[in-house]
Amino acid sequence: QVQLVESGGGLVQPGGSLALSCAASGKMFKIKVMGWYRQAPGKQRELVAAISSEGSTNYADSVKGRFTISRDNAKNTVALQMNSLKPEDTAVYYCNALAMRIITGYEYDYWGQGTQVTVSS
C-alpha cells in the first residue's frame, strides 16, 4: 500500500497564491507518476498537473502559466504552487500517485484524502 498525505490549501482571494504538498510512503513500491486532480461541486474530477519520475510534466490548459508542479524523488513528495488563483480554481484537490510494486511490476493508483482550495473575495 502507498499512503499519500496532503497539506496546504485553504481560503485565498482572487489573484493570490497557495501551495499544496503531498508525501507518499510505502515500502516495496516505486512511485512513477505523481500529480494533482481537483473536483469542484457538481463536476467530474479532472487532472490539474502531473509529473513523472523523470521530470516530465503535464498541465491542464486552464492552469498553464499559473500553476507549477515539482517533485522530490528522494523524498517521494510532490508540490503544486498555484499563482494568480481564480474563483474557478475552487475545488477539492487530490494528490495522486501511480506506483509500481517492485516485486510484481504491477501498477496501482493511489489517492490522498483531498484538501479544499477556495478562491473568493
Side-chain angles (χ1 to χ4, degrees):
Q1 288 281 5
V2 172
Q3 294 181 330
L4 301 176
V5 178
E6 301 155 343
S7 60
L11 173 65
V12 65
Q13 292 186 344
S17 298
L18 276 177
L20 305 179
S21 62
C22 173
S25 61
K27 296 181 180 180
M28 307 303 292
F29 281 89
K30 175 180 171 60
I31 309 297
K32 300 186 72 176
V33 181
M34 298 190 79
W36 293 91
Y37 287 70
R38 67 186 180 188
Q39 188 167 20
K43 295 188 177 181
Q44 290 188 330
R45 191 174 296 189
E46 62 175 0
L47 172 69
V48 177
I51 184 168
S52 71
S53 56
E54 293 80 20
S56 296
T57 58
N58 183 30
Y59 292 92
D61 288 342
S62 60
V63 307
K64 284 181 180 177
R66 300 188 297 123
F67 291 10
T68 302
I69 191 169
S70 59
R71 177 174 175 172
D72 185 330
N73 288 332
K75 297 180 180 179
N76 277 334
T77 59
V78 64
L80 185 68
Q81 178 64 41
M82 305 182 290
N83 298 327
S84 302
L85 282 160
K86 304 175 181 180
E88 50 264 43
D89 294 317
T90 296
V92 177
Y93 284 68
Y94 296 91
C95 180
N96 171 264
L98 177 66
M100 181 188 74
R101 193 172 182 206
I102 296 172
I103 294 177
T104 63
Y106 292 150
E107 297 180 347
Y108 302 88
D109 246 348
Y110 293 95
W111 295 91
Q113 76 280 5
T115 185
Q116 178 70 46
V117 172
T118 302
V119 185
S120 175
S121 55

PDB file of all heavy atoms in Angstrom, residues 83-107:
ATOM      1  N   ASN A  83      -0.483  30.083  -8.477  1.00  0.00           N
ATOM      2  CA  ASN A  83      -0.440  31.544  -8.509  1.00  0.00           C
ATOM      3  C   ASN A  83      -1.605  32.081  -9.332  1.00  0.00           C
ATOM      4  O   ASN A  83      -2.228  31.349 -10.104  1.00  0.00           O
ATOM      5  CB  ASN A  83       0.878  32.026  -9.104  1.00  0.00           C
ATOM      6  CG  ASN A  83       2.083  31.592  -8.293  1.00  0.00           C
ATOM      7  OD1 ASN A  83       2.021  31.479  -7.068  1.00  0.00           O
ATOM      8  ND2 ASN A  83       3.188  31.343  -8.974  1.00  0.00           N
ATOM      9  N   SER A  84      -1.862  33.348  -9.167  1.00  0.00           N
ATOM     10  CA  SER A  84      -2.936  34.016  -9.920  1.00  0.00           C
ATOM     11  C   SER A  84      -4.233  33.213  -9.852  1.00  0.00           C
ATOM     12  O   SER A  84      -4.888  32.965 -10.872  1.00  0.00           O
ATOM     13  CB  SER A  84      -2.510  34.212 -11.379  1.00  0.00           C
ATOM     14  OG  SER A  84      -1.320  34.966 -11.465  1.00  0.00           O
ATOM     15  N   LEU A  85      -4.590  32.826  -8.664  1.00  0.00           N
ATOM     16  CA  LEU A  85      -5.760  31.974  -8.495  1.00  0.00           C
ATOM     17  C   LEU A  85      -7.044  32.691  -8.867  1.00  0.00           C
ATOM     18  O   LEU A  85      -7.186  33.908  -8.666  1.00  0.00           O
ATOM     19  CB  LEU A  85      -5.831  31.473  -7.062  1.00  0.00           C
ATOM     20  CG  LEU A  85      -4.857  30.324  -6.762  1.00  0.00           C
ATOM     21  CD1 LEU A  85      -4.599  30.190  -5.270  1.00  0.00           C
ATOM     22  CD2 LEU A  85      -5.381  29.019  -7.347  1.00  0.00           C
ATOM     23  N   LYS A  86      -7.962  31.915  -9.414  1.00  0.00           N
ATOM     24  CA  LYS A  86      -9.255  32.438  -9.863  1.00  0.00           C
ATOM     25  C   LYS A  86     -10.368  31.715  -9.103  1.00  0.00           C
ATOM     26  O   LYS A  86     -10.177  30.580  -8.634  1.00  0.00           O
ATOM     27  CB  LYS A  86      -9.431  32.172 -11.364  1.00  0.00           C
ATOM     28  CG  LYS A  86      -8.321  32.728 -12.235  1.00  0.00           C
ATOM     29  CD  LYS A  86      -8.512  32.315 -13.680  1.00  0.00           C
ATOM     30  CE  LYS A  86      -7.394  32.849 -14.577  1.00  0.00           C
ATOM     31  NZ  LYS A  86      -7.575  32.435 -15.992  1.00  0.00           N
ATOM     32  N   PRO A  87     -11.532  32.317  -9.013  1.00  0.00           N
ATOM     33  CA  PRO A  87     -12.646  31.637  -8.336  1.00  0.00           C
ATOM     34  C   PRO A  87     -12.935  30.263  -8.932  1.00  0.00           C
ATOM     35  O   PRO A  87     -13.327  29.341  -8.208  1.00  0.00           O
ATOM     36  CB  PRO A  87     -13.814  32.601  -8.555  1.00  0.00           C
ATOM     37  CG  PRO A  87     -13.169  33.948  -8.637  1.00  0.00           C
ATOM     38  CD  PRO A  87     -11.874  33.712  -9.371  1.00  0.00           C
ATOM     39  N   GLU A  88     -12.727  30.110 -10.217  1.00  0.00           N
ATOM     40  CA  GLU A  88     -12.996  28.821 -10.856  1.00  0.00           C
ATOM     41  C   GLU A  88     -11.971  27.746 -10.486  1.00  0.00           C
ATOM     42  O   GLU A  88     -12.135  26.582 -10.860  1.00  0.00           O
ATOM     43  CB  GLU A  88     -13.076  28.959 -12.387  1.00  0.00           C
ATOM     44  CG  GLU A  88     -11.928  29.699 -13.020  1.00  0.00           C
ATOM     45  CD  GLU A  88     -12.240  31.168 -13.259  1.00  0.00           C
ATOM     46  OE1 GLU A  88     -12.830  31.820 -12.360  1.00  0.00           O
ATOM     47  OE2 GLU A  88     -11.870  31.678 -14.353  1.00  0.00           O
ATOM     48  N   ASP A  89     -10.931  28.122  -9.768  1.00  0.00           N
ATOM     49  CA  ASP A  89      -9.987  27.132  -9.259  1.00  0.00           C
ATOM     50  C   ASP A  89     -10.493  26.491  -7.965  1.00  0.00           C
ATOM     51  O   ASP A  89      -9.876  25.551  -7.456  1.00  0.00           O
ATOM     52  CB  ASP A  89      -8.621  27.769  -8.992  1.00  0.00           C
ATOM     53  CG  ASP A  89      -7.941  28.246 -10.265  1.00  0.00           C
ATOM     54  OD1 ASP A  89      -7.972  27.504 -11.270  1.00  0.00           O
ATOM     55  OD2 ASP A  89      -7.372  29.357 -10.249  1.00  0.00           O
ATOM     56  N   THR A  90     -11.573  27.004  -7.445  1.00  0.00           N
ATOM     57  CA  THR A  90     -12.132  26.460  -6.216  1.00  0.00           C
ATOM     58  C   THR A  90     -12.551  25.014  -6.410  1.00  0.00           C
ATOM     59  O   THR A  90     -13.302  24.686  -7.334  1.00  0.00           O
ATOM     60  CB  THR A  90     -13.351  27.291  -5.767  1.00  0.00           C
ATOM     61  OG1 THR A  90     -12.918  28.612  -5.445  1.00  0.00           O
ATOM     62  CG2 THR A  90     -14.027  26.665  -4.555  1.00  0.00           C
ATOM     63  N   ALA A  91     -12.040  24.142  -5.561  1.00  0.00           N
ATOM     64  CA  ALA A  91     -12.316  22.712  -5.675  1.00  0.00           C
ATOM     65  C   ALA A  91     -11.623  21.977  -4.529  1.00  0.00           C
ATOM     66  O   ALA A  91     -10.829  22.570  -3.789  1.00  0.00           O
ATOM     67  CB  ALA A  91     -11.805  22.161  -7.003  1.00  0.00           C
ATOM     68  N   VAL A  92     -11.927  20.713  -4.412  1.00  0.00           N
ATOM     69  CA  VAL A  92     -11.139  19.835  -3.557  1.00  0.00           C
ATOM     70  C   VAL A  92     -10.006  19.281  -4.421  1.00  0.00           C
ATOM     71  O   VAL A  92     -10.262  18.744  -5.504  1.00  0.00           O
ATOM     72  CB  VAL A  92     -11.989  18.692  -2.978  1.00  0.00           C
ATOM     73  CG1 VAL A  92     -11.105  17.757  -2.143  1.00  0.00           C
ATOM     74  CG2 VAL A  92     -13.127  19.246  -2.126  1.00  0.00           C
ATOM     75  N   TYR A  93      -8.796  19.438  -3.944  1.00  0.00           N
ATOM     76  CA  TYR A  93      -7.623  18.993  -4.682  1.00  0.00           C
ATOM     77  C   TYR A  93      -7.128  17.675  -4.087  1.00  0.00           C
ATOM     78  O   TYR A  93      -6.946  17.566  -2.866  1.00  0.00           O
ATOM     79  CB  TYR A  93      -6.528  20.056  -4.626  1.00  0.00           C
ATOM     80  CG  TYR A  93      -6.807  21.218  -5.549  1.00  0.00           C
ATOM     81  CD1 TYR A  93      -7.865  22.092  -5.295  1.00  0.00           C
ATOM     82  CD2 TYR A  93      -6.041  21.439  -6.690  1.00  0.00           C
ATOM     83  CE1 TYR A  93      -8.138  23.150  -6.146  1.00  0.00           C
ATOM     84  CE2 TYR A  93      -6.304  22.492  -7.546  1.00  0.00           C
ATOM     85  CZ  TYR A  93      -7.359  23.340  -7.273  1.00  0.00           C
ATOM     86  OH  TYR A  93      -7.626  24.387  -8.117  1.00  0.00           O
ATOM     87  N   TYR A  94      -6.888  16.711  -4.962  1.00  0.00           N
ATOM     88  CA  TYR A  94      -6.463  15.384  -4.543  1.00  0.00           C
ATOM     89  C   TYR A  94      -5.072  15.076  -5.080  1.00  0.00           C
ATOM     90  O   TYR A  94      -4.796  15.268  -6.275  1.00  0.00           O
ATOM     91  CB  TYR A  94      -7.424  14.321  -5.064  1.00  0.00           C
ATOM     92  CG  TYR A  94      -8.821  14.415  -4.516  1.00  0.00           C
ATOM     93  CD1 TYR A  94      -9.798  15.163  -5.158  1.00  0.00           C
ATOM     94  CD2 TYR A  94      -9.172  13.739  -3.341  1.00  0.00           C
ATOM     95  CE1 TYR A  94     -11.087  15.250  -4.656  1.00  0.00           C
ATOM     96  CE2 TYR A  94     -10.457  13.818  -2.839  1.00  0.00           C
ATOM     97  CZ  TYR A  94     -11.406  14.577  -3.498  1.00  0.00           C
ATOM     98  OH  TYR A  94     -12.681  14.654  -2.990  1.00  0.00           O
ATOM     99  N   CYS A  95      -4.227  14.576  -4.217  1.00  0.00           N
ATOM    100  CA  CYS A  95      -2.931  14.072  -4.637  1.00  0.00           C
ATOM    101  C   CYS A  95      -3.111  12.666  -5.199  1.00  0.00           C
ATOM    102  O   CYS A  95      -3.915  11.872  -4.677  1.00  0.00           O
ATOM    103  CB  CYS A  95      -1.977  14.050  -3.447  1.00  0.00           C
ATOM    104  SG  CYS A  95      -0.330  13.435  -3.817  1.00  0.00           S
ATOM    105  N   ASN A  96      -2.378  12.370  -6.252  1.00  0.00           N
ATOM    106  CA  ASN A  96      -2.471  11.064  -6.889  1.00  0.00           C
ATOM    107  C   ASN A  96      -1.081  10.515  -7.142  1.00  0.00           C
ATOM    108  O   ASN A  96      -0.148  11.264  -7.470  1.00  0.00           O
ATOM    109  CB  ASN A  96      -3.228  11.179  -8.213  1.00  0.00           C
ATOM    110  CG  ASN A  96      -3.170   9.914  -9.036  1.00  0.00           C
ATOM    111  OD1 ASN A  96      -2.339   9.766  -9.933  1.00  0.00           O
ATOM    112  ND2 ASN A  96      -4.042   8.974  -8.726  1.00  0.00           N
ATOM    113  N   ALA A  97      -0.935   9.215  -6.991  1.00  0.00           N
ATOM    114  CA  ALA A  97       0.340   8.570  -7.288  1.00  0.00           C
ATOM    115  C   ALA A  97       0.096   7.280  -8.050  1.00  0.00           C
ATOM    116  O   ALA A  97      -0.760   6.472  -7.666  1.00  0.00           O
ATOM    117  CB  ALA A  97       1.114   8.291  -6.012  1.00  0.00           C
ATOM    118  N   LEU A  98       0.839   7.112  -9.110  1.00  0.00           N
ATOM    119  CA  LEU A  98       0.872   5.840  -9.833  1.00  0.00           C
ATOM    120  C   LEU A  98       2.115   5.110  -9.360  1.00  0.00           C
ATOM    121  O   LEU A  98       3.236   5.576  -9.583  1.00  0.00           O
ATOM    122  CB  LEU A  98       0.918   6.071 -11.332  1.00  0.00           C
ATOM    123  CG  LEU A  98       1.020   4.809 -12.194  1.00  0.00           C
ATOM    124  CD1 LEU A  98      -0.236   3.970 -12.060  1.00  0.00           C
ATOM    125  CD2 LEU A  98       1.284   5.156 -13.645  1.00  0.00           C
ATOM    126  N   ALA A  99       1.904   4.005  -8.673  1.00  0.00           N
ATOM    127  CA  ALA A  99       3.013   3.307  -8.038  1.00  0.00           C
ATOM    128  C   ALA A  99       3.135   1.889  -8.574  1.00  0.00           C
ATOM    129  O   ALA A  99       2.134   1.220  -8.816  1.00  0.00           O
ATOM    130  CB  ALA A  99       2.816   3.274  -6.532  1.00  0.00           C
ATOM    131  N   MET A 100       4.362   1.457  -8.730  1.00  0.00           N
ATOM    132  CA  MET A 100       4.624   0.106  -9.190  1.00  0.00           C
ATOM    133  C   MET A 100       5.148  -0.736  -8.035  1.00  0.00           C
ATOM    134  O   MET A 100       6.118  -0.355  -7.370  1.00  0.00           O
ATOM    135  CB  MET A 100       5.651   0.105 -10.321  1.00  0.00           C
ATOM    136  CG  MET A 100       5.959  -1.280 -10.872  1.00  0.00           C
ATOM    137  SD  MET A 100       7.315  -1.287 -12.040  1.00  0.00           S
ATOM    138  CE  MET A 100       8.714  -1.078 -10.949  1.00  0.00           C
ATOM    139  N   ARG A 101       4.497  -1.871  -7.804  1.00  0.00           N
ATOM    140  CA  ARG A 101       5.016  -2.777  -6.791  1.00  0.00           C
ATOM    141  C   ARG A 101       6.245  -3.463  -7.373  1.00  0.00           C
ATOM    142  O   ARG A 101       6.176  -4.095  -8.430  1.00  0.00           O
ATOM    143  CB  ARG A 101       3.957  -3.802  -6.396  1.00  0.00           C
ATOM    144  CG  ARG A 101       4.341  -4.562  -5.145  1.00  0.00           C
ATOM    145  CD  ARG A 101       3.241  -5.432  -4.642  1.00  0.00           C
ATOM    146  NE  ARG A 101       3.648  -6.089  -3.413  1.00  0.00           N
ATOM    147  CZ  ARG A 101       3.163  -7.243  -2.994  1.00  0.00           C
ATOM    148  NH1 ARG A 101       2.243  -7.863  -3.708  1.00  0.00           N
ATOM    149  NH2 ARG A 101       3.575  -7.760  -1.857  1.00  0.00           N
ATOM    150  N   ILE A 102       7.360  -3.302  -6.690  1.00  0.00           N
ATOM    151  CA  ILE A 102       8.642  -3.716  -7.239  1.00  0.00           C
ATOM    152  C   ILE A 102       8.678  -5.211  -7.525  1.00  0.00           C
ATOM    153  O   ILE A 102       9.189  -5.657  -8.547  1.00  0.00           O
ATOM    154  CB  ILE A 102       9.783  -3.293  -6.291  1.00  0.00           C
ATOM    155  CG1 ILE A 102       9.833  -1.757  -6.219  1.00  0.00           C
ATOM    156  CG2 ILE A 102      11.104  -3.876  -6.741  1.00  0.00           C
ATOM    157  CD1 ILE A 102      10.783  -1.221  -5.187  1.00  0.00           C
ATOM    158  N   ILE A 103       8.103  -6.002  -6.642  1.00  0.00           N
ATOM    159  CA  ILE A 103       8.190  -7.450  -6.775  1.00  0.00           C
ATOM    160  C   ILE A 103       7.434  -7.964  -7.999  1.00  0.00           C
ATOM    161  O   ILE A 103       7.903  -8.838  -8.722  1.00  0.00           O
ATOM    162  CB  ILE A 103       7.662  -8.139  -5.496  1.00  0.00           C
ATOM    163  CG1 ILE A 103       8.576  -7.834  -4.314  1.00  0.00           C
ATOM    164  CG2 ILE A 103       7.542  -9.646  -5.714  1.00  0.00           C
ATOM    165  CD1 ILE A 103       8.090  -8.416  -3.009  1.00  0.00           C
ATOM    166  N   THR A 104       6.252  -7.408  -8.235  1.00  0.00           N
ATOM    167  CA  THR A 104       5.402  -7.940  -9.297  1.00  0.00           C
ATOM    168  C   THR A 104       5.428  -7.113 -10.574  1.00  0.00           C
ATOM    169  O   THR A 104       5.092  -7.612 -11.651  1.00  0.00           O
ATOM    170  CB  THR A 104       3.941  -8.003  -8.817  1.00  0.00           C
ATOM    171  OG1 THR A 104       3.490  -6.670  -8.540  1.00  0.00           O
ATOM    172  CG2 THR A 104       3.829  -8.863  -7.560  1.00  0.00           C
ATOM    173  N   GLY A 105       5.773  -5.835 -10.450  1.00  0.00           N
ATOM    174  CA  GLY A 105       5.721  -4.943 -11.601  1.00  0.00           C
ATOM    175  C   GLY A 105       4.336  -4.386 -11.862  1.00  0.00           C
ATOM    176  O   GLY A 105       4.144  -3.575 -12.773  1.00  0.00           O
ATOM    177  N   TYR A 106       3.365  -4.788 -11.078  1.00  0.00           N
ATOM    178  CA  TYR A 106       2.010  -4.280 -11.255  1.00  0.00           C
ATOM    179  C   TYR A 106       1.938  -2.834 -10.774  1.00  0.00           C
ATOM    180  O   TYR A 106       2.585  -2.454  -9.805  1.00  0.00           O
ATOM    181  CB  TYR A 106       0.997  -5.129 -10.494  1.00  0.00           C
ATOM    182  CG  TYR A 106       0.825  -6.521 -11.040  1.00  0.00           C
ATOM    183  CD1 TYR A 106       0.484  -7.582 -10.198  1.00  0.00           C
ATOM    184  CD2 TYR A 106       0.980  -6.795 -12.395  1.00  0.00           C
ATOM    185  CE1 TYR A 106       0.320  -8.869 -10.684  1.00  0.00           C
ATOM    186  CE2 TYR A 106       0.829  -8.079 -12.897  1.00  0.00           C
ATOM    187  CZ  TYR A 106       0.504  -9.109 -12.031  1.00  0.00           C
ATOM    188  OH  TYR A 106       0.336 -10.385 -12.519  1.00  0.00           O
ATOM    189  N   GLU A 107       1.089  -2.053 -11.459  1.00  0.00           N
ATOM    190  CA  GLU A 107       0.934  -0.653 -11.113  1.00  0.00           C
ATOM    191  C   GLU A 107      -0.427  -0.414 -10.483  1.00  0.00           C
ATOM    192  O   GLU A 107      -1.426  -1.036 -10.856  1.00  0.00           O
ATOM    193  CB  GLU A 107       1.102   0.228 -12.368  1.00  0.00           C
ATOM    194  CG  GLU A 107       2.486   0.136 -12.973  1.00  0.00           C
ATOM    195  CD  GLU A 107       2.642   0.997 -14.205  1.00  0.00           C
ATOM    196  OE1 GLU A 107       1.613   1.468 -14.725  1.00  0.00           O
ATOM    197  OE2 GLU A 107       3.780   1.185 -14.645  1.00  0.00           O
TER     198      GLU A 107
END
